[in-house]
Every structure is written in structure tokens, then in C-alpha cells.
């Protein structure tokens, strides 16, 4: 088969490799659509890969073309999404349903070959069936959509509350739509890009604030009558946004860090004291899994997409053939060149 193989920093080659051989509990999926995740970028552009050569890609959908002899409940020809986490299912954390905390895990597209290929193999239990009417392109958004849902579930998000979301990248815009679907009273979002804020407005944000402009803090204080927000979600992962979340949370508020940090976070005593004085609950979220595996996040993602409750149209920069992966890598090195997610067609 053909695959985009990472051989080193910025060295992605579209080449022919040996077809995957499935085990008796695995299935082979013909990849129809695969995304380039933000976590893939440092693996391609830096030294974030675990080893070389490797096939990246963990956001994907496709068609089942082969099943192992022990597989039940999945048939050849079915359309599926792959849940990329490969937990051991035996350790204490796994037995408690905390699969993302498994110490013995593997992962499709980072520790094992992934979906930037014509085919990818996964355990049958990792296959999530695509609901009728959901496209392969929408299927490639299942994984990031479940990341957004998992963070909201962990913070015990409830309808009828005021929520703010800091960062309007892919995860932020998906979190916005999920919070709206879960019944948020008012949603205030923050970003430094007016184009992203415009998309957020289309997707249901009540107030969009550009943090690069003077006066935005006065506007948010006016919006909340000086009290701040009950629930605050950071999807940007930089020091400025993380500190902002602590600042804008109200007394007894909840702060959720969904994004992977990209820089050091240093808090002054006064900044850290906000956690104490306001008695904040500050929590992190990692991946997107719950019990029974892969979890309710994956079921709800399919429901939202099938009912048109989550829109991905403005989140896509382009859809290109897998053979043009080199162009995507080149553009990712150019600041501002890529305005959304790049999808690869198998």
C-alpha cells in the first residue's frame, strides 16, 4: 500500500510499504479521510516522534476491508471511526475505566503506525461505527470532538451556566458547540484572531473578545457584573491563556485545562493566590475516554454530527490527496498559511 512515512524532521515521504497484517482480534480499515492534528506538527517539524520511520495520523474514518477470525460485531464493508488509544485493559486504571491514565498504553499514529496511509489496523473494540448520513470527513473530526466533550464531562458541566472558552482553534470551536448543545446559558470566547472569533460567533458564541486589544477585560467584567464566569475552559495551552482563566473565573468557579501545554507556566504568588482566595477548582483533561471503552464521548460525537448539532465546515483549511502530504508539511512551516485542519483523502 501507499503511505506517508515520516523518516525524520520535515522528512515525510509518500511511498509504497508492506500491507499491515492483522491479528485475530483486529480489523483492517481502508482509510477514507484522516486529519492532521496539532500534536502531529511537532512530530513532523521537530523531534517529537517516538521513533523513525513511522506513519502518523490518529484522526480517521474509513471502511472495514478485513476482520480477524475472533472479531464479532464488526463486518467487512462497515464504515467506522478509529479510537486511537490502545490501553492494556488490565491495569488498575483501565479496570476503573480511566483508560487515558493507563501506564502500559500504546497509541495509533504515535507509538504504532497510524492513518496517513491507505490502510490502518486497529483492535475491533476500537472501531466506532459511523452513523447513517455522517460523512468520512465528519468522521475525521470524531477524535477532536470527543476531546472537547471529555473535558466538559470531567468538569461536571451543566446547562444554565455562564461559560467562557479561551482559544478558538479546532478544539475551542468544538468545545463551544458542545457547550451550546449541553445547555450553556451564555458563552463568552477569547482569541487573538478576528477570523476565528467570527467563526465562533457563527457557531453560537454570545460574546467574542479579542485579547490582543485593550479594554477586553473591562468588557468581560461588564458582561459578568464583575463576578467572572462559573466555568472556564482553556483550549490554547499557553501561559497567557492559562493565567487569564484563573483571573476570569468567579468565586467557587471551575477551570478546565484541555489543551496540551506548549510553554512553561510560572505563577506569581498573587496569581496563584487566586486559586486560594476564590477557592477555584482547577482541573486537567487528557484524551477522550470513559467506560465502557471507548466511552460515551464517542457515542455522543456521532449523535451530534448525525443531527447537525456540530458544524465542521469552517474548521477545514483544505482537503487534499494523501499523495500531497509534502505540500501540507511545507505550508505548516509557514506561520499563518494554514487556517484550519488539513484533511487527507486516502
Amino acid at each position: 500500500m501507499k503511505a506517508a512515512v515520516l523518516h525524520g524532521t520535515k522528512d515525510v515521504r509518500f511511498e509504497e510499504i508492506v500491507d499491515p497484517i492483522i491479528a485475530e482480534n483486529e480489523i483492517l480499515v481502508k482509510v477514507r479521510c484522516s486529519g492532521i492534528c496539532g500534536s502531529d506538527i511537532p512530530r513532523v517539524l521537530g523531534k517529537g516522534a517516538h521513533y523513525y520511520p513511522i506513519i502518523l495520523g490518529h484522526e480517521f474514518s474509513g471502511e472495514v476491508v478485513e476482520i480477524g477470525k475472533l472479531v464479532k460485531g464488526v463486518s467487512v464493508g462497515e464504515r467506522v471511526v478509529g479510537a486511537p488509544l490502545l490501553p492494556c485493559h488490565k491495569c488498575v486504571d483501565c479496570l476503573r475505566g480511566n483508560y487515558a491514565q493507563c501506564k502500559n498504553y500504546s497509541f495509533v499514529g504515535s507509538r504504532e503506525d497510524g492513518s496517513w496511509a491507505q490502510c490502518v489496523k486497529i483492535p475491533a473494540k476500537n472501531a466506532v461505527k459511523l452513523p447513517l448520513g455522517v460523512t468520512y470527513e465528519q468522521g475525521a473530526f470524531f477524535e477532536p470532538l470527543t476531546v472537547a466533550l471529555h473535558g466538559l464531562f470531567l468538569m461536571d458541566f451543566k446547562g444554565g451556566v455562564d461559560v467562557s472558552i479561551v482559544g478558538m482553534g479546532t478544539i475551542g470551536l468544538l468545545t463551544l458547540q458542545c457547550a451550546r448543545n449541553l445547555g450553556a446559558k451564555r458563552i463568552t470566547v477569547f482569541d487573538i484572531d478576528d477570523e476565528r472569533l467570527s467563526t465562533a460567533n457563527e457557531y453560537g458564541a454570545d460574546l467574542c473578545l479579542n485579547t490582543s486589544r485593550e479594554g477586553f477585560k473591562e468588557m468581560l467584567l461588564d458582561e459578568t457584573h464583575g463576578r467572572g464566569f462559573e466555568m472556564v475552559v482553556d483550549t490554547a495551552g499557553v501561559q497567557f491563556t492559562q493565567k487569564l482563566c484563573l483571573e476570569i473565573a468567579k468565586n467557587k468557579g471551575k477551570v478546565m485545562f484541555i489543551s496540551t501545554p506548549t510553554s512553561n507556566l510560572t505563577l506569581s504568588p498573587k496569581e496563584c493566590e487566586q486559586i486560594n482566595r476564590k477557592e477555584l477548582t482547577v482541573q486537567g483533561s487528557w484524551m477522550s475516554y470513559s467506560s465502557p471503552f471507548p466511552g460515551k464521548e464517542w457515542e455522543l460525537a456521532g449523535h451530534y454530527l448525525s443531527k447537525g448539532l456540530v458544524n465542521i465546515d469552517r474548521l477545514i483549511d483544505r482537503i487534499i490527496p494523501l499523495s500531497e502530504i509534502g505540500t501540507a508539511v511545507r505550508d505548516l512551516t509557514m506561520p499563518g498559511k494554514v487556517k484550519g485542519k488539513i484533511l487527507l483523502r486516502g
Side-chain angles (χ1 to χ4, degrees):
M1 70 176 183
K2 294 287 189 180
V5 184
L6 180 67
H7 287 269
T9 302
K10 301 181 186 178
D11 184 9
V12 181
R13 307 175 198 173
F14 184 66
E15 57 191 22
E16 191 163 335
I17 64 169
V18 177
D19 292 347
I21 298 175
I22 62 172
E24 56 189 10
N25 65 335
E26 293 180 325
I27 63 173
L28 188 65
V29 178
K30 180 177 179 59
V31 179
R32 297 295 189 181
C33 191
S34 182
I36 298 179
C37 176
S39 65
D40 292 322
I41 296 174
R43 298 185 181 113
V44 174
L45 304 184
K47 298 182 179 179
H50 290 285
Y51 59 87
Y52 302 110
I54 186 170
I55 302 169
L56 302 179
H58 61 270
E59 304 171 347
F60 66 96
S61 61
E63 178 186 348
V64 180
V65 293
E66 185 181 349
I67 63 173
K69 63 180 181 180
L70 296 183
V71 171
K72 296 181 180 180
V74 182
S75 303
V76 170
E78 287 189 305
R79 301 183 322 127
V80 299
V81 168
L85 178 66
L86 305 175
C88 72
H89 293 287
K90 297 177 181 178
C91 68
V92 171
D93 285 309
C94 283
L95 294 176
R96 290 174 175 170
N98 302 323
Y99 304 106
Q101 282 68 52
C102 174
K103 299 296 190 299
N104 311 307
Y105 78 97
S106 190
F107 199 87
V108 174
S110 70
R111 297 171 184 264
E112 300 191 14
D113 283 340
S115 59
W116 294 2
Q118 290 180 320
C119 291
V120 61
K121 67 174 185 175
I122 58 173
K125 67 176 61 177
N126 288 62
V128 179
K129 295 179 183 180
L130 269 178
L132 186 66
V134 177
T135 67
Y136 286 122
E137 289 76 19
Q138 290 174 306
F141 276 86
F142 260 60
E143 199 274 344
L145 180 52
T146 61
V147 168
L149 284 167
H150 187 67
L152 292 174
F153 290 161
L154 280 181
M155 71 188 303
D156 195 26
F157 186 91
K158 292 182 173 63
V161 302
D162 290 334
V163 60
S164 67
I165 304 167
V166 184
M168 286 292 103
T170 297
I171 298 297
L173 289 166
L174 291 172
T175 304
L176 158 62
Q177 295 181 76
C178 291
R180 180 199 62 200
N181 292 338
L182 292 171
K185 182 180 179 182
R186 287 184 60 80
I187 305 173
T188 301
V189 302
F190 302 84
D191 203 276
I192 59 174
D193 188 304
D194 283 333
E195 187 174 345
R196 289 179 177 181
L197 291 171
S198 176
T199 301
N201 182 63
E202 290 183 27
Y203 283 175
D206 295 287
L207 180 63
C208 303
L209 297 176
N210 190 317
T211 57
S212 66
R213 295 180 181 164
E214 292 184 7
F216 82 91
K217 289 185 179 180
E218 287 74 14
M219 292 181 65
L220 75 88
L221 287 173
D222 182 64
E223 179 71 14
T224 64
H225 305 291
R227 293 192 294 269
F229 301 95
E230 292 177 64
M231 296 197 168
V232 182
V233 182
D234 174 60
T235 66
V238 297
Q239 182 168 243
F240 174 82
T241 61
Q242 292 168 323
K243 289 184 177 183
L244 178 63
C245 288
L246 299 178
E247 184 178 350
I248 66 179
K250 70 182 300 184
N251 293 341
K252 304 286 186 176
K254 294 183 178 182
V255 176
M256 172 58 67
F257 291 157
I258 289 182
S259 62
T260 302
T262 59
S263 60
N264 292 336
L265 173 62
T266 303
L267 297 175
S268 68
K270 185 176 181 180
E271 290 168 334
C272 191
E273 194 177 77
Q274 294 178 101
I275 301 173
N276 303 80
R277 284 186 176 274
K278 293 194 281 188
E279 296 190 349
L280 300 178
T281 300
V282 181
Q283 190 172 2
S285 175
W286 189 246
M287 293 196 272
S288 55
Y289 299 88
S290 59
S291 183
F293 185 84
K296 59 186 177 181
E297 296 88 345
W298 294 81
E299 180 180 354
L300 190 55
H303 172 74
Y304 280 169
L305 289 167
S306 67
K307 297 298 183 181
L309 296 172
V310 168
N311 188 314
I312 64 166
D313 294 345
R314 294 289 300 275
L315 306 182
I316 301 172
D317 180 89
R318 74 193 79 162
I319 304 174
I320 60 175
L322 179 62
S323 59
E324 295 181 14
I325 183 70
T327 301
V329 171
R330 181 200 65 203
D331 289 350
L332 286 167
T333 66
M334 304 168 64
K337 179 71 172 179
V338 178
K339 295 291 187 180
K341 186 171 290 295
I342 297 177
L343 297 182
L344 305 169
R345 278 210 177 103

